[in-house]
Amino acid sequence: MSMQTKSPGGFSLVEVMVAMAIALIGTVIIFQVFSVSESIKRTSTSGGDAQQFGALGLYTMERELRMAGLGINNQNLIGCTLRSYDNLGTPQVVPTYSLVPVQIVAGATAKDPDQITITYGNSPLLSSSINVTQNMTDASSIVRVSNRFGIATNNMLVLAETGKDCTMIQVTDLPATTGNTDQVIHDASVGQYNNPDVSWPAYTTNAMVFNMGGLPSRKTYGISNSELTVSATYSTAGAVAVADNIVMLKAQYGHDDGVDNGTVSNASYSIGDGQVDNYTNVMPSAPTAFDWLRVLSVRMALVARSALPEKPKVQGGPCDATTSAPTWSGGSFDLSSDANWQCYRYRVFETTVPLRNMIWQQL
């Protein structure tokens, strides 16, 4: 009796096709899960980045605003037109500007972000005025003052007199010899911020001197190419990015109307109760010192956007990640300057910053 060997059987064509179908279905499911997972990850990451950048931008501006007005919160100084110079700047003669703690430049339209310029000194002492004791024939004259307490070499001083523009100078020497201890030297050949042009305003004994410290800060915050940027007046660095994916900035002055019950009149200014009565992003066409002294706070908001656009829920359909414009206390934001604005997610960061140096103003 012979023994036959049975050859091993293989997979039939039907079995192979069934296995391939199962594998393909599994692959499709895996890719669908992966796609959803990546979408969730992208949304979470973009949202996290937006939250981080928005918080950073708002914190940076808030920190600056709390210093606004330091050294200039005096009715004899605030609001004056300031002339200044920087021999390293371009141009070296800095364009004149109004010496105020905060200046809001509203966007040209509702679609355009605002700009905020913040100004303050850094003197460690209360910036009470010092009297000029000798007429200055021109801006290069030696400044003689009633006292030099708190003034140090390289300090920035502002000369102010009613009816004249203010001038900023840099202290280059404080003579200690007998008979010269009231002198403040501001040599244009030494100080970076001393203008050699003697045609600038001359001051009399009615003028006052205010110490702004080592170097006053004047910074402008704005939005450029979806970035929050800051530029300094006395710097050659140009605009520097603070936070990415910031698409809108809006700000308003917190104004004390000065007409509350129990007011006390002071010249043309009625001192209110020290509380904000309304918010606005505009000032009178020709604001006075008292108009600026009534600004007690700033309300502002930043809109942060996710870094990547979201896919619409319906393939090929319109963007629907954001269906309505974000809002803040001052109203709603118009983001339609970007035709695809609804493809992104947004976070609004808002705060109100009291201007303590305006609240502690010198009258």
Side-chain angles (χ1 to χ4, degrees):
M1 178 176 176
S2 63
M3 179 178 293
Q4 295 182 344
T5 303
K6 187 177 182 180
S7 59
F11 292 107
S12 68
L13 179 61
V14 174
E15 291 173 326
V16 172
M17 293 182 66
V18 169
M20 289 180 63
I22 294 173
L24 286 173
I25 293 172
T27 302
V28 170
I29 293 173
I30 290 172
F31 274 100
Q32 285 183 336
V33 172
F34 180 76
S35 176
V36 172
S37 175
E38 281 298 301
S39 176
I40 295 173
K41 177 184 175 182
R42 183 172 62 249
T43 300
S44 300
T45 302
S46 297
D49 289 343
Q51 182 166 343
Q52 179 180 355
F53 288 131
L56 173 63
L58 191 70
Y59 170 78
T60 302
M61 295 179 63
E62 180 180 1
R63 191 167 179 267
E64 295 274 11
L65 277 168
R66 291 188 181 278
M67 296 295 293
L70 178 64
I72 63 174
N73 57 340
N74 188 294
Q75 62 176 328
N76 297 304
L77 179 61
I78 193 170
C80 75
T81 300
L82 183 67
R83 295 172 176 259
S84 57
Y85 180 84
D86 181 358
N87 65 21
L88 296 181
T90 304
Q92 292 181 324
V93 177
V94 179
T96 59
Y97 58 86
S98 184
L99 192 60
V100 297
V102 180
Q103 188 166 20
I104 299 171
V105 178
T109 69
K111 300 178 182 179
D112 300 308
D114 296 344
Q115 285 187 339
I116 303 178
T117 299
I118 305 168
T119 304
Y120 57 90
N122 66 344
S123 174
L125 304 174
L126 181 65
S127 184
S128 296
S129 61
I130 302 169
N131 296 327
V132 173
T133 59
Q134 179 177 294
N135 291 345
M136 301 172 60
T137 57
D138 56 54
S140 66
S141 300
I142 294 175
V143 182
R144 289 184 177 270
V145 295
S146 55
N147 72 81
R148 301 189 309 195
F149 176 75
I151 298 177
T153 303
N154 294 323
N155 277 179
M156 307 299 293
L157 308 181
V158 175
L159 300 169
E161 185 174 354
T162 302
K164 299 179 180 179
D165 289 349
C166 294
T167 301
M168 190 167 70
I169 61 175
Q170 183 179 20
V171 179
T172 57
D173 189 27
L174 297 169
T177 57
T178 303
N180 294 328
T181 55
D182 63 343
Q183 292 185 1
V184 176
I185 309 298
H186 54 111
D187 189 346
S189 65
V190 179
Q192 176 182 341
Y193 303 98
N194 289 323
N195 195 324
D197 184 359
V198 298
S199 66
W200 281 28
Y203 296 94
T204 70
T205 54
N206 294 319
M208 293 173 287
V209 178
F210 296 85
N211 188 358
M212 300 290 289
L215 180 62
S217 178
R218 184 174 188 265
K219 298 179 180 179
T220 299
Y221 287 86
I223 304 293
S224 177
N225 297 322
S226 298
E227 289 182 334
L228 175 66
T229 63
V230 59
S231 58
T233 298
Y234 303 100
S235 172
T236 59
V240 177
V242 177
D244 198 8
N245 296 316
I246 306 296
V247 294
M248 187 58 71
L249 164 62
K250 291 295 181 182
Q252 295 177 330
Y253 301 107
H255 194 263
D256 180 0
D257 288 339
V259 294
D260 304 275
N261 294 331
T263 60
V264 178
S265 295
N266 180 6
S268 60
Y269 173 60
S270 295
I271 303 174
D273 58 2
Q275 296 184 4
V276 173
D277 296 302
N278 63 77
Y279 283 93
T280 177
N281 63 352
V282 297
M283 292 290 287
S285 57
T288 65
F290 296 118
D291 289 324
W292 289 111
L293 289 170
R294 292 175 183 175
V295 177
L296 304 182
S297 67
V298 169
R299 182 168 69 182
M300 62 180 179
L302 291 176
V303 180
R305 186 180 73 180
S306 57
L308 299 173
E310 300 285 334
K311 295 180 179 180
K313 293 178 181 178
V314 178
Q315 188 175 2
C319 292
D320 52 10
T322 298
T323 56
S324 59
T327 62
W328 72 302
S329 299
S332 60
F333 298 99
D334 187 346
L335 306 177
S336 60
S337 58
D338 182 352
N340 298 317
W341 72 273
Q342 291 180 301
C343 298
Y344 297 87
R345 297 183 185 275
Y346 301 90
R347 286 293 303 272
V348 177
F349 296 83
E350 178 183 350
T351 189
T352 299
V353 183
L355 303 180
R356 56 189 180 187
N357 293 303
M358 293 296 98
I359 297 172
W360 303 335
Q361 60 194 246
Q362 304 175 51
L363 297 176

